[in-house]
Amino acid sequence: MEAAGSSSSRPPKRRRPGLRPSAPLEVAGARTPYMPSLCTNSKNPSTKCYGDRFIPDRSAMDMDMAYYLLTEPKKGKENEAVVSPAKEAYRRLLAEKLLGSRTRILAFRNKPPEPEGMLPQILFETPTSSQTKPTKQRRKIPQFAERTLDAPGVVDDYYLNVLDWGSKNVVSVALENTLYLWNASDSSTSELVTVDADYGPITSVSWACEGQHIAVGLNSSDIQLWDTSSNRMLRTLRGVHESRVGSLAWNSSILTTGGMDGKIVNNDVRMRSHMVQTYRGHEAEVCGLRWSGSLQQLASGGNDNLVHIWDASMASSNPSLGHDRWLHRFSDHLSAVKALAWCPFQSNLLASGGGGNDRCIKFWNTHTGLCLNSVDTGAQVCALLWNKNEKELLSACGFVQKPLTLWKYPSMVKLAELEGHTSRVLCLAQNPDGSTVASVAADETLRFWNVFGTSEAPKPAAKTVHTGMFSFSHIR
């Protein structure tokens, strides 16, 4: 804060740090201010004796005169040894009258402000009530699975998608030719279907949005639709692909399928002629399919190292225009792309993971087509899942000691590495409230992780035990 101006030509004196800036000084008049004499010798009126200096009250202070008195050479010096008692008494009386018996000469009327260097710290330490925010307690991330189930016969194939978690809290997992359902609410298990060896194994599963119907892709290129409430097969879609169906994704009543033949087909399951749209852009097996949260964009990943973004509005307006009309084509990966995950808090953000020769997680802006970031994980990326409540990403990798890693986005700092699986994780799935993740691995186990936080809804106590094939009697 700048000091107030003065009529004096002398330079302003430096203010002591931490003190309140003094009020502007009054301009001295032409008359000489009255200064009472401190001398008792009235016989010699020409003698001037100002004695020891004093500091009067600030309201009557004349700084110009004070400066003069302090710098004026003394004209005489009294012999302190011969000072009379009367003179000493006079000095004490004069000090009492002029200074008001105050011992703190520089006392302030108001509390002085804190030094300027401490102001930012004070502001941060004592915020106003409107700025005060409750401190969020840091959650504990479990390093081990809360439940482990046997999954004998799971096919150790990077390109397949054999695990999904429906909206009614039921997990579906394909073990060779059989599809099993595990109800997370009551831990009950049931067998939905076992296909003949000529049609199997089961290569992909996907729950419809309402959580009652499920699509099952087969190695024979057929696709079966099942009603899980009645354990009844509704229909079989044939002729969609020429070889196995490794990826499935629902968009309302549209079932999108990806095959080893490189085709992506939209099937309206309500219609007899169900094939309503075909996307052609991949030159090898389509192993990853994901619709965005808005259901307006489709991401596809293939064994040709490509990622495509398809626009749903373009496809629905004129199905014949769907051939080779992708919105974006990303060719930055150096290996097959199976892991795809749309960000829940930013609709145009897509994460993709590459295979063993790539080992990278890349982030794409699907509006502009730009690659925002690329992170080398050091291992084959098999699956990706976003946390629905925090800016975090879970990756499943292959051929590493700890295949599950939780990352903080966008810094991509490792928050935790989860232990348990002894072989590569093939697929990930997330429960409806987003708190728990299921992982199936080539070590023939299905594990459940409370990695994204505790659900508000009560759930049964977790037990980390091996209980056979989902705890039912016939194992292996």
Side-chain angles (χ1 to χ4, degrees):
M1 184 176 186
E2 295 182 0
S6 172
S7 61
S8 176
S9 61
R10 64 178 179 85
K13 296 180 67 177
R14 179 174 297 179
R15 178 167 54 90
R16 291 174 58 190
L19 298 182
R20 181 187 300 276
S22 58
L25 302 177
E26 297 180 357
V27 179
R31 61 184 179 85
T32 303
Y34 171 73
M35 297 294 292
S37 174
L38 297 179
C39 295
T40 58
N41 187 6
S42 60
K43 295 181 180 181
N44 189 6
S46 62
T47 302
K48 293 183 180 181
C49 182
Y50 291 98
D52 293 341
R53 69 182 180 88
F54 67 92
I55 302 177
D57 187 76
R58 284 180 175 272
S59 60
M61 183 180 293
D62 187 337
M63 296 303 295
D64 289 340
M65 177 57 69
Y67 179 81
Y68 170 77
L69 293 176
L70 290 174
T71 57
E72 180 187 27
K74 289 188 176 293
K75 297 182 179 180
K77 184 175 182 180
E78 295 180 331
N79 188 358
E80 296 180 357
V82 295
V83 176
S84 65
K87 189 172 182 179
E88 232 6 88
Y90 173 76
R91 287 180 177 179
R92 287 198 302 267
L93 180 61
L94 183 62
E96 181 180 351
K97 295 299 182 181
L98 293 178
L99 304 179
S101 299
R102 292 183 299 169
T103 58
R104 296 182 61 198
I105 303 301
L106 297 179
F108 289 93
R109 297 180 183 272
N110 298 320
K111 183 179 179 181
E114 296 291 342
E116 296 179 359
M118 297 186 63
L119 288 179
Q121 181 179 358
I122 295 174
L123 292 176
F124 283 113
E125 292 178 353
T126 57
T128 61
S129 57
S130 61
Q131 296 175 345
T132 304
K133 295 182 180 180
T135 303
K136 186 176 181 180
Q137 187 176 4
R138 185 177 181 180
R139 80 177 193 277
K140 181 180 179 180
I141 303 174
Q143 302 295 307
F144 301 92
E146 64 174 352
R147 185 187 296 269
T148 302
L149 305 177
D150 279 335
V154 62
V155 180
D156 184 8
D157 192 327
Y158 170 83
Y159 302 98
L160 305 185
N161 294 273
V162 296
L163 178 69
D164 198 16
W165 202 326
S167 59
K168 290 189 175 180
N169 209 18
V170 178
V171 179
S172 61
V173 60
L175 305 180
E176 290 185 320
N177 299 329
T178 303
L179 181 63
Y180 294 96
L181 305 180
W182 184 78
N183 193 320
S185 301
D186 56 13
S187 300
S188 61
T189 307
S190 61
E191 178 183 326
L192 181 63
V193 57
T194 299
V195 300
D196 295 338
D198 294 339
Y199 296 94
I202 296 174
T203 53
S204 57
V205 294
S206 181
W207 285 98
C209 300
E210 86 288 343
Q212 179 177 337
H213 300 93
I214 190 170
V216 181
L218 303 178
N219 190 59
S220 63
S221 78
D222 290 348
I223 304 150
Q224 296 181 356
L225 301 180
W226 285 79
D227 184 346
T228 58
S229 62
S230 60
N231 290 353
R232 181 171 59 95
M233 187 174 69
L234 301 178
R235 66 183 299 185
T236 300
L237 308 181
R238 294 187 173 90
V240 180
H241 296 279
E242 300 173 3
S243 54
R244 72 179 183 183
V245 181
S247 55
L248 301 168
W250 286 90
N251 184 342
S252 186
S253 60
I254 301 296
L255 174 62
T256 305
T257 61
M260 185 179 279
D261 54 10
K263 291 193 302 183
I264 302 173
V265 181
N266 283 345
N267 300 272
D268 192 336
V269 298
R270 303 167 299 178
M271 303 173 58
R272 180 181 296 273
S273 301
H274 49 82
M275 297 175 59
V276 296
Q277 181 68 38
T278 301
Y279 301 104
R280 295 185 181 273
H282 289 282
E283 300 174 356
E285 180 174 12
V286 178
C287 49
L289 284 176
R290 288 290 185 275
W291 281 100
S292 65
S294 63
L295 302 179
Q296 295 302 309
Q297 290 185 335
L298 173 69
S300 64
N303 197 20
D304 52 5
N305 310 344
L306 297 177
V307 177
H308 286 97
I309 305 298
W310 311 89
D311 193 297
S313 61
M314 181 185 301
S316 60
S317 61
N318 191 344
S320 63
L321 297 179
H323 299 275
D324 300 328
R325 289 184 62 88
W326 56 79
L327 185 61
H328 298 292
R329 167 181 274 191
F330 305 136
S331 57
D332 295 24
H333 284 290
L334 304 177
S335 189
V337 182
K338 172 191 174 185
L340 298 170
W342 289 94
C343 180
F345 52 83
Q346 187 174 336
S347 61
N348 63 325
L349 178 60
L350 174 72
S352 62
N357 294 329
D358 181 76
R359 305 178 301 276
C360 290
I361 300 175
K362 297 184 184 296
F363 298 91
W364 310 93
N365 184 327
T366 60
H367 286 175
T368 62
L370 297 177
C371 181
L372 305 178
N373 192 13
S374 180
V375 178
D376 190 347
T377 65
Q380 175 190 59
V381 183
C382 302
L384 295 171
L385 274 182
W386 286 96
N387 187 343
K388 295 180 180 179
N389 304 314
E390 301 286 344
K391 291 185 177 182
E392 297 170 353
L393 181 69
L394 181 69
S395 66
C397 296
F399 311 115
V400 289
Q401 185 177 1
K402 299 177 182 179
L404 291 177
T405 303
L406 183 64
W407 308 81
K408 183 66 177 178
Y409 182 84
S411 64
M412 294 306 287
V413 174
K414 288 185 180 180
L415 298 179
E417 291 182 312
L418 311 185
E419 302 179 10
H421 284 298
T422 58
S423 186
R424 66 174 176 179
V425 174
L426 301 171
C427 303
L428 295 177
Q430 195 172 15
N431 72 335
D433 66 11
S435 62
T436 305
V437 173
S439 61
V440 64
D443 58 8
E444 297 189 331
T445 62
L446 176 63
R447 298 174 187 262
F448 296 86
W449 315 81
N450 191 17
V451 64
F452 288 156
T454 305
S455 173
E456 296 180 359
K459 55 184 178 181
K463 296 180 180 180
T464 309
V465 293
H466 290 268
T467 55
M469 190 190 296
F470 309 141
S471 72
F472 40 84
S473 56
H474 53 287
I475 62 175
R476 305 281 177 178

